[in-house]
Amino acid sequence: MSLLENATAPTTGDFDSAAFYAKLDESKLAARALATANTAAKDAALEAIAQDLLAHVDEIVAANADDLARGQADGLSTGLLDRLTLTPQRVQGLADAVLDIVAIADPVGESVRGKTLPNGVHLEQVRVPFGVVGAIYEARPNVTVDIAALALKSGNAAVLRGGSAAESTNRVLVAVIQGALARTGLPGTSVHTIDEFGRRGAAELMRARGWVDLLVPRGSAQLIQTVVTESTVPVIETGAGVVHIVLDASAREDWAVDIVRNAKVQRPSVCNAVETLLVHADAAARLLPPVLGALRESGVTIRADERARAVFPDAVPATDEDWATEYMSLDLAVRVVDDLDEAIDHIRRYSTSHTESIITNDLGNADRFLAEVDSAVVMVNASTRFTDGGEFGFGAEVGISTQKLHARGPMGLPELTSTKWLVRGSGQIRR
Amino acid sequence: MSLLENATAPTTGDFDSAAFYAKLDESKLAARALATANTAAKDAALEAIAQDLLAHVDEIVAANADDLARGQADGLSTGLLDRLTLTPQRVQGLADAVLDIVAIADPVGESVRGKTLPNGVHLEQVRVPFGVVGAIYEARPNVTVDIAALALKSGNAAVLRGGSAAESTNRVLVAVIQGALARTGLPGTSVHTIDEFGRRGAAELMRARGWVDLLVPRGSAQLIQTVVTESTVPVIETGAGVVHIVLDASAREDWAVDIVRNAKVQRPSVCNAVETLLVHADAAARLLPPVLGALRESGVTIRADERARAVFPDAVPATDEDWATEYMSLDLAVRVVDDLDEAIDHIRRYSTSHTESIITNDLGNADRFLAEVDSAVVMVNASTRFTDGGEFGFGAEVGISTQKLHARGPMGLPELTSTKWLVRGSGQIRR
C-alpha cells in the first residue's frame, strides 16, 4: 500500500499533466472562496456533509466492498483490510466526527497579536488559512473525511491522495462531500481527490509549489519518509513514536507500575504508547519485578538487556534493534542505566522525539529531564498516553508533529492556519 | 557567486564526508550546551564577540583584501564587490550590531501557553531553540556575524556556508567568534563554517536531516530557489518582493504622492520597496500626473501601460515582463485597472506575497483588500517600507518570510525557536 509498492500497481495510463493541474487550479480558486467564508457557512457545509454521508451509506459501503474484494485478491494483511473496511456503523462514526468539528472554534481571523506604533500605524497579526492543503495517506478512508472536514473548518481547500487500495471508497466519499458543499453554497471543488492520477500524481503533488501550501502525510513511517524527502512543498511530519519512560532511583513504585502499564497496555497500537523502559541501576531490583510482573499479567512480552534480566529473568534477551523499534504491540524493551546521563543519552540516540516521561521524586532530576530531553512532549510522573489533541483539549487532532518547524506535538485546528499582518495607517511614510 | 556558478569554481579536492559530518556532530553537541545556557552566559559571549571583532580588525580587513583581490580578478560586479568589502568602519558596524542583539529579549524558555487539566496534569508550552541552524548565503561577510549572533542569542548552534567569494573573510570572522565563545565558557564549536567543503558541502548541508534543524537561505532569488527545492531539511524562505501599491478611486492625492514616493525612492534596493503601481481607471487622470511627476523628480524611470501613458506620456512602454520584475532600482511599473477586482487579480498573478498596500478612503474596499490579498503584510494607507523587523519593534530582523509555514512576514528572534510541551503530573494515567 505504500507509495513505493505502488510502483508495481497498474496505472491508468499516461499521466495527464493538464488534467492534474486543472484540478489544482480549481483547488486554488476554491481556496480563495473558503478564505473569506464565515464560520456559519463552513459549519453549515460540515453539517450537510455529515447528513449526506448517512444518506449515501449504501453507496459508500458498496464501493468499499469493491476495494475490499480487490484488497483480498491482492493479499492485503488482515490489519490493512480492517483499516480499509467501512461498515454502516463506521460511516455513522465518520458523520459524528464531522459534527464534532462543527463544535470546535474556527481559528480563522483570530487576532494573534497587535499594537499601535508611535506614528499611529496599527499592526495586527491574524490567523488565515494556508490555502490548499494536500494529504497523502494509505488505505484509510476515514482520513478522507477527517482531513476534508478539518481543512474546511480552517478555511482550506483539500487535495487528497488516498492510495489505490481505497480508490473506489474515496471516490464516493469525495463525491458525497462535493455534493454537500455545492448544496450549501461553498465550491464543490474545495475537496478533490487525485487518486486517478496514480503514483505519478502523488509525486507531482509533492512538488506542486505554488499550488499546494501544505502537505500532511499520514500512515507508515516509510510513506512519511518518502513524502518528507521528496517534497518541495512544505510538509508537516506526523511521526512515529519510539517513546521512553525512565524510572529514576527515587521513583514511587505505585506510580511506576500504574504509569508504565497504562502507557504500554491501554492502547499499544498508537504512537504515544511506551516502547522502551529505562531503569536506574539503583532501582532495578526494587522496581522491575513489580512493574514488569504487572505488564506480564497484561500479556506484554518483555525484551530486556542482561542487567534487567538479572532481576527479572522471565524476559527475552534484547538486541540493539529493539532500542530503535516502534513495536505498536504488546512488546516492551527494557534496559538498566547507570544514571540519568545514560538515560538521556539513550533517548537522544534512539528516540523519535515524540514523547518521553520520567518517574521520579527527585526535583533536580525532574528539572534536568524537562530541560535536556529534546522531544515534542516531555513529562514528569505522567503517562505518555496523554500526548493527544483530545487530552490536551484541542477538540480535534490533525496529528502529532514530531518536527520543530511550525507545529510540535499535538496539532489542533490553529496549526492548519498561517498568519498575515494587517497594517492600517493614515498616510504614514517611513522616516 | 551563486551556488550554480560555483559549479565551475575550483574545488579543494574530493568531498571529505567524514570531516564534514564530524563538524556537524560538533555542532549538534554544541547545540545541547547552548539549549540550556542562560541568557547572561549568551549575552557575555555576544559582548566578547563584539570586543574581539574590534581587536582583530586588522586581520579581518587583511583577509577581506584577499577575497576582494580574487573577486576583482574573477570580474565580480561593482555591487557584489561593495557587499563583499569590510572596512574598519564596517567592522565597527558589525560589532555594534552584535551588541544590539544583547539588548533584545531572549525568547528561550518563554511560556507560550499552559493550563492544568481536570485531572491535575499541568501542561506548559515553552520556547526552545531549534538546535542547529544552517545558513547559506553569498559574498556577504556581514551575514556571517549577523546570523551567528542571532542564532547564539536564541540558543542555536550555527553552521554557515558563506560562499567561496568571501571564504577568507568568513574564515577569520568565524575563528574570532569561536575564540570569543571559548573564552566565555560556551563551546567554540557553536559556530562553524563549512566553506572549505565547497559546493558539495552546501548540497550536503541541504540534505543533512538529523543534523540541521533549520536552514535559512539569504541572497539572490536564484540561490533561495535552489535551497528551497533541493533541501530535505526544513527551510525558511526569505523572499523577493514584487511589491504593489494600489491607488483606489477615492485615494487622497497627498497620501498617494507621499506613500508611493517613500515606498519607491527612500531605499529602492530593498525587498519592501514598491515595484508596481496599480491605479483605478477613475483616478488615473487625477492621480498619475502628481504621483508620477514627483517620482520623476526623484529620478524614477516610469514603465507604464498604454492607459497610464495616455495621462502621463513621459513614460517607457511597459512589457509583460515588467509586472513580474523586482527592479530593486529607481524603476516603477504602472498599470491602470478597471476596478478593485482587476487590481487584486493582478496582485494574485504577479505578487511574491511579500507586501501590498492600498491607498483608499473607501472602507469597503479597504476591508476587501485586507481580506482578499494573500500576502505576508497587507496595508491600507501606509508605506510598504514599514514591512521590517525594526519598524515592527522586533529589535532584530532575521529576515522577512514569504512562506506560510512557521513564520510569515518580518521574523524576530522568537521565529528562530521551536516549542516543546512540558507536562508535570503526580502519577496520573489515561482513563
Side-chain angles (χ1 to χ4, degrees), chain A residues 32 130 348 370 404, chain B residues 32 130 348 370 404 420:
Chain A
R32 278 200 217 173
F130 268 106
R348 281 208 183 98
L370 290 171
K404 293 184 182 173
Chain B
R32 280 201 217 171
F130 267 105
R348 282 210 182 96
L370 289 171
K404 292 184 183 175
K420 75 179 175 188

Side-chain angles (χ1 to χ4, degrees), chain A residues 32 35-36 113 115 117 119 121 123 125 128-131 207 209 213-214 225 228-232 234-237 255 258-259 262 266 272 345 348 367 369-383 385-388 391-394 403-410 415 417-431, chain B residues 32 35-36 113 115 117 119 121 123 125 128-131 207 209 213-214 225 228-232 234-237 255 258-259 262 266 272 345 348 367 369-383 385-388 391-394 403-410 415 417-431:
Chain A
R32 278 200 217 173
T36 53
R113 50 180 166 162
K115 64 175 159 187
L117 301 181
N119 62 7
V121 167
L123 308 178
Q125 188 182 33
V128 295
F130 268 106
R207 307 202 138 246
R209 282 187 77 86
D213 296 289
L214 179 69
Q225 199 52 33
V228 164
T229 53
E230 299 298 323
S231 291
T232 59
V235 172
I236 289 190
E237 190 175 351
W255 290 3
D258 288 351
I259 288 173
N262 182 252
Q266 198 207 21
N272 59 19
D345 281 346
R348 281 208 183 98
D367 286 346
F369 195 79
L370 290 171
E372 295 182 24
V373 172
D374 184 28
S375 296
V377 185
V378 189
M379 301 180 166
V380 174
N381 294 327
S383 170
R385 292 275 294 119
F386 285 116
T387 297
D388 176 89
E391 293 290 320
F392 274 38
F394 295 169
Q403 70 179 38
K404 293 184 182 173
L405 201 71
H406 185 71
R408 199 172 188 206
E415 279 70 31
T417 63
S418 180
T419 56
K420 73 178 176 190
W421 287 95
L422 306 180
V423 176
R424 294 174 171 95
S426 46
Q428 286 87 347
I429 60 171
R430 187 160 164 191
R431 303 291 171 185
Chain B
R32 280 201 217 171
T36 54
R113 50 181 168 162
K115 65 174 160 187
L117 302 181
N119 63 6
V121 167
L123 309 178
Q125 188 181 33
V128 295
F130 267 105
R207 306 204 138 245
R209 281 187 78 85
D213 297 288
L214 178 68
Q225 199 50 31
V228 164
T229 53
E230 298 297 322
S231 293
T232 60
V235 173
I236 290 189
E237 190 176 350
W255 291 2
D258 288 350
I259 289 173
N262 183 251
Q266 197 207 21
N272 58 20
D345 281 346
R348 282 210 182 96
D367 285 347
F369 195 79
L370 289 171
E372 294 181 26
V373 172
D374 184 27
S375 296
V377 185
V378 190
M379 301 180 167
V380 175
N381 294 329
S383 170
R385 292 275 295 121
F386 284 117
T387 298
D388 176 89
E391 293 291 320
F392 275 37
F394 294 169
Q403 68 179 40
K404 292 184 183 175
L405 201 71
H406 185 72
R408 199 172 189 206
E415 279 69 32
T417 64
S418 179
T419 57
K420 75 179 175 188
W421 287 95
L422 306 180
V423 176
R424 294 173 171 97
S426 46
Q428 286 88 344
I429 60 172
R430 186 158 163 193
R431 305 291 171 185

Side-chain angles (χ1 to χ4, degrees), chain B residues 13-343:
Chain B
D14 286 345
F15 176 68
D16 185 344
S17 179
F20 179 84
Y21 283 100
K23 266 204 168 179
L24 292 198
D25 281 338
E26 288 182 357
S27 299
K28 273 184 80 167
L29 214 59
R32 280 201 217 171
L34 286 173
T36 54
N38 61 33
T39 308
K42 294 185 287 189
D43 285 346
L46 291 174
E47 281 162 6
I49 289 171
Q51 254 172 23
D52 288 7
L53 286 172
L54 297 179
H56 292 83
V57 62
D58 293 343
E59 276 168 76
I60 294 167
V61 171
N64 188 247
D66 290 346
D67 284 333
L68 285 172
R70 201 155 31 84
Q72 273 156 343
D74 291 351
L76 291 196
S77 72
T78 317
L80 277 174
L81 286 171
D82 177 58
R83 280 203 326 232
L84 184 55
T85 302
L86 285 186
T87 60
Q89 195 189 351
R90 286 189 179 180
V91 174
Q92 176 75 55
L94 292 182
D96 290 346
V98 173
L99 292 178
D100 285 346
I101 292 171
V102 172
I104 303 170
D106 183 349
V108 175
E110 187 196 332
S111 186
V112 179
R113 50 181 168 162
K115 65 174 160 187
T116 301
L117 302 181
N119 63 6
V121 167
H122 182 73
L123 309 178
E124 185 185 12
Q125 188 181 33
V126 297
R127 290 201 183 280
V128 295
F130 267 105
V132 177
V133 172
I136 297 185
Y137 50 100
E138 294 167 318
R140 297 176 191 229
N142 62 307
V143 174
T144 302
V145 176
D146 197 32
I147 292 272
L150 291 165
L152 289 169
K153 179 76 185 221
S154 52
N156 295 290
V159 178
L160 307 171
R161 152 72 181 172
S164 55
E167 193 169 342
S168 302
T169 313
N170 287 336
R171 186 163 40 228
V172 174
L173 289 173
V174 168
V176 167
I177 292 169
Q178 290 179 334
L181 283 163
R183 184 154 65 81
T184 53
L186 290 181
T189 49
S190 301
V191 176
H192 264 319
T193 168
I194 55 154
D195 280 345
E196 72 268 31
F197 298 100
R199 196 173 59 91
R200 173 72 190 279
E204 203 78 16
L205 190 69
M206 296 185 221
R207 306 204 138 245
R209 281 187 78 85
W211 280 270
V212 177
D213 297 288
L214 178 68
L215 192 54
V216 182
R218 291 261 286 250
S220 68
Q222 188 195 24
L223 176 138
I224 292 169
Q225 199 50 31
T226 302
V227 173
V228 164
T229 53
E230 298 297 322
S231 293
T232 60
V233 304
V235 173
I236 290 189
E237 190 176 350
T238 57
V242 176
V243 166
H244 297 75
I245 293 179
V246 177
L247 302 183
D248 197 13
S250 63
R252 271 175 60 160
E253 182 187 319
D254 54 345
W255 291 2
V257 170
D258 288 350
I259 289 173
V260 175
R261 183 168 46 192
N262 183 251
K264 180 72 259 180
V265 174
Q266 197 207 21
R267 203 168 164 208
S269 66
V270 292
C271 61
N272 58 20
V274 66
E275 306 292 12
T276 300
L277 183 67
L278 302 171
V279 190
H280 193 292
D282 295 350
R286 175 172 68 92
L287 293 175
L288 284 186
V291 168
L292 301 183
L295 290 175
R296 204 180 36 191
E297 272 174 36
S298 303
V300 175
T301 302
I302 310 294
R303 300 165 181 281
D305 75 343
E306 203 62 42
R307 293 165 80 188
R309 289 173 68 222
V311 294
F312 191 81
D314 192 10
V316 179
T319 66
D320 273 358
E321 210 181 304
D322 282 298
W323 313 129
T325 301
E326 185 183 17
Y327 300 115
M328 310 196 94
S329 60
L330 286 175
D331 292 82
L332 182 74
V334 182
R335 188 183 160 193
V336 174
V337 292
D338 284 332
D339 52 25
L340 186 58
D341 287 300
E342 197 179 339

Side-chain angles (χ1 to χ4, degrees), chain A residues 37-270:
Chain A
N38 62 32
T39 308
K42 294 186 287 189
D43 285 346
L46 291 173
E47 280 161 6
I49 290 170
Q51 254 172 23
D52 288 7
L53 286 170
L54 297 178
H56 293 83
V57 62
D58 293 344
E59 275 169 75
I60 294 167
V61 171
N64 188 246
D66 290 347
D67 285 332
L68 285 172
R70 200 154 32 85
Q72 274 157 344
D74 291 351
L76 290 196
S77 72
T78 317
L80 277 174
L81 286 171
D82 178 57
R83 280 205 324 233
L84 184 55
T85 303
L86 285 187
T87 60
Q89 197 189 349
R90 286 188 179 180
V91 173
Q92 176 74 56
L94 292 181
D96 291 346
V98 173
L99 292 178
D100 286 347
I101 292 170
V102 172
I104 303 169
D106 183 350
V108 175
E110 188 195 330
S111 185
V112 178
R113 50 180 166 162
K115 64 175 159 187
T116 301
L117 301 181
N119 62 7
V121 167
H122 181 72
L123 308 178
E124 185 185 12
Q125 188 182 33
V126 297
R127 290 200 183 281
V128 295
F130 268 106
V132 177
V133 173
I136 296 185
Y137 50 100
E138 293 167 319
R140 298 176 189 229
N142 61 308
V143 174
T144 303
V145 178
D146 199 31
I147 292 272
L150 291 165
L152 288 170
K153 180 75 185 221
S154 51
N156 295 291
V159 178
L160 308 170
R161 152 71 182 173
S164 55
E167 193 169 342
S168 301
T169 313
N170 287 336
R171 186 163 40 228
V172 174
L173 289 174
V174 168
V176 168
I177 292 168
Q178 291 179 334
L181 284 163
R183 183 155 65 81
T184 53
L186 290 181
T189 49
S190 301
V191 177
H192 265 317
T193 169
I194 56 154
D195 280 346
E196 73 267 30
F197 298 100
R199 195 173 56 92
R200 173 72 191 280
E204 202 78 16
L205 190 68
M206 296 185 221
R207 307 202 138 246
R209 282 187 77 86
W211 282 270
V212 178
D213 296 289
L214 179 69
L215 192 55
V216 183
R218 290 263 286 250
S220 68
Q222 190 197 21
L223 176 136
I224 291 168
Q225 199 52 33
T226 302
V227 173
V228 164
T229 53
E230 299 298 323
S231 291
T232 59
V233 303
V235 172
I236 289 190
E237 190 175 351
T238 57
V242 176
V243 166
H244 297 76
I245 293 179
V246 177
L247 302 182
D248 197 13
S250 63
R252 271 176 60 161
E253 182 187 318
D254 54 344
W255 290 3
V257 170
D258 288 351
I259 288 173
V260 175
R261 184 167 46 194
N262 182 252
K264 180 75 257 181
V265 174
Q266 198 207 21
R267 202 167 165 208
S269 65
V270 291

